[in-house]
Amino acid sequence: MALESVGDLALNLILSKLEPEDTAKSSCVSKKLRSSASEETLWSRFCADELGLSQPIDPLGNPTPSFKICYQIWRKEFCIYPWSLVKRVRRCWDRLRSWLAVNFPEAGATLRKGATEDDIKELENALKVKLPLPTRVLYRFVDGQEFHGKDYITSVFGCPLGLIGGYIFYDQCVNVYMLPLRQVILETREIRRELHFPGKSKYVAVACSSTVDEKFFFLNCFNGQLYVGTQNLPHYGEMIPCVPDELIRSVHDCNGDQQQDATLLWLEEHVRRLESGIIKLCEYGNIKCISLFPEETPLCSTAITNGVKVRASAVFVPENANLKNDQEKYLFAYLIRMSLLPEGCIVNGMSFSSCQLHWRHWIIRANDTVTSDVNAEAVIGKVDRAGRQLV
């Protein structure tokens, strides 16, 4: 059958089964294929499937004349990176933006526009490092967060709009945000001086807490691992890896399609927990922020007695860890939440719309070993030393 006799609808269906690169190549075969391969419906689907775009816009958000031109601009803008990695990072940021738009638009408003290649080269020259490919692409889409004076509550609580979130217990408050590249340079230089890191250190600071309680995340630019500082960071440079080493692959290889460093894996897991409701937006008094205390099983234990729902969960506090202490290396904070079910508190067959906690007793175990036995008078509406919040 001659190609000219194939209907336009049939050609469009055939081309829609191809990859965008193959569709573009087919346009060189004949005028008829060139016409079919330029159909907007075809390229709008490519842009939607690969980039999540419903409108033809470039990487900076500017409109383009058509979806085909839009796709060409995106491919040209990210031509030095594996396209599979670009699509993966784009999906990660889109998922996070979508969650923020619905649940925490104040934090979404702090996201900066993507960095340019010149911005990245400036950082690499200033710090004498080469960023792993996945982290480079992450910053090409979003150059960290930027806060303004109105975003800060107090010097102690800092800004509660951090993408990574944190926790409040007793006198400790942590809320982690992603550093913009210019601040990565400043913070890394300062930390290198204070901690006496070598001038050619492979570590750069990529995230930290905005509060008075310090918590720093460092990216190893050589192997792509992400580390969080412990309480011994100022004295011994002690850090804990955030991701299993075996998951990190091809962080500087442009030829493969399996690139993933710890920063990308860490952010993807964070997004997954937000979307699944494992971690949620919480309010501590008048402070609204992302709380890292898990809200869903299996990371949160739940029991219901007489219409009262009790939830308990714990979070690792790495900045208070001490790997040199064999007896107490790690510190966890835990949170107890209590609430009434819609049917109320039921006692002796009678339903009550309210109840009061008079006494509390819970046993905390680690590896089947009892580490704490709390048996005392209730404290309503308080957050105490161990991170218990009773509401």
Side-chain angles (χ1 to χ4, degrees), residues 20 37 66 96 99 136 160 169 175 184 196 238 308 319 347 351 368:
S66 68
L96 182 53
W99 187 90
R136 287 177 67 104
F169 62 94
N175 193 272
V184 170
H196 306 294
E238 186 177 83
V308 178
E319 65 274 18
V347 179
S351 178
D368 296 325

Side-chain angles (χ1 to χ4, degrees), residues 202-213:
K202 54 186 174 290
Y203 295 99
V204 297
V206 292
C208 71
S209 178
S210 66
T211 66
V212 70
D213 294 300

Side-chain angles (χ1 to χ4, degrees), residues 299-313:
L299 302 178
C300 178
S301 300
T302 302
I304 299 175
T305 305
N306 296 334
V308 178
K309 184 178 182 180
V310 181
R311 290 175 297 156
S313 60

Side-chain angles (χ1 to χ4, degrees), residues 91-278:
R91 285 193 297 270
C92 179
W93 279 121
D94 281 350
R95 290 166 57 199
L96 182 53
R97 285 184 185 275
S98 296
W99 187 90
L100 292 171
V102 173
N103 300 279
F104 204 9
E106 301 92 338
T110 69
L111 299 183
R112 290 170 52 85
K113 287 186 176 181
T116 65
E117 285 300 317
D118 288 339
D119 294 330
I120 293 175
K121 289 177 182 176
E122 180 183 353
L123 177 143
E124 292 181 333
N125 291 333
L127 300 179
K128 296 180 174 57
V129 297
K130 183 174 179 60
L131 291 179
L133 290 175
T135 294
R136 287 177 67 104
V137 181
L138 282 169
Y139 271 101
R140 285 301 313 274
F141 280 100
V142 175
D143 184 12
Q145 292 182 264
E146 184 171 19
F147 301 140
H148 302 283
K150 61 181 178 60
D151 297 324
Y152 289 85
I153 297 177
T154 66
S155 59
V156 175
F157 289 110
C159 178
L161 304 180
L163 288 181
I164 308 305
Y167 31 76
I168 298 175
F169 62 94
Y170 191 51
D171 55 355
Q172 181 148 338
C173 175
V174 166
N175 193 272
V176 176
Y177 71 103
M178 182 178 175
L179 298 175
L181 290 181
R182 67 170 186 270
Q183 197 172 348
V184 170
I185 297 174
L186 295 174
E187 294 286 354
T188 301
R189 281 175 169 170
E190 183 176 353
I191 291 170
R192 284 179 179 179
R193 286 194 300 267
E194 292 182 355
L195 303 186
H196 306 294
F197 280 5
K200 294 185 178 180
S201 172
K202 54 186 174 290
Y203 295 99
V204 297
V206 292
C208 71
S209 178
S210 66
T211 66
V212 70
D213 294 300
E214 291 187 345
K215 182 175 184 178
F216 280 97
F217 288 87
F218 299 92
L219 173 65
N220 183 320
C221 293
F222 177 74
N223 62 19
Q225 179 60 273
L226 188 68
Y227 294 85
V228 59
T230 71
Q231 65 171 271
N232 292 325
L233 176 67
H235 309 294
Y236 310 109
E238 186 177 83
M239 295 181 284
I240 299 174
C242 298
V243 172
D245 289 332
E246 57 269 22
L247 296 181
I248 301 172
R249 297 192 297 266
S250 308
V251 297
H252 292 292
D253 180 13
C254 291
N255 298 319
D257 60 357
Q258 299 294 322
Q259 299 86 355
Q260 54 184 30
D261 65 4
T263 309
L264 176 57
L265 290 166
W266 181 60
L267 189 61
E268 287 177 331
E269 172 61 17
H270 183 62
V271 173
R272 185 191 71 82
R273 292 190 179 204
L274 288 170
E275 290 178 331
S276 63
I278 293 176

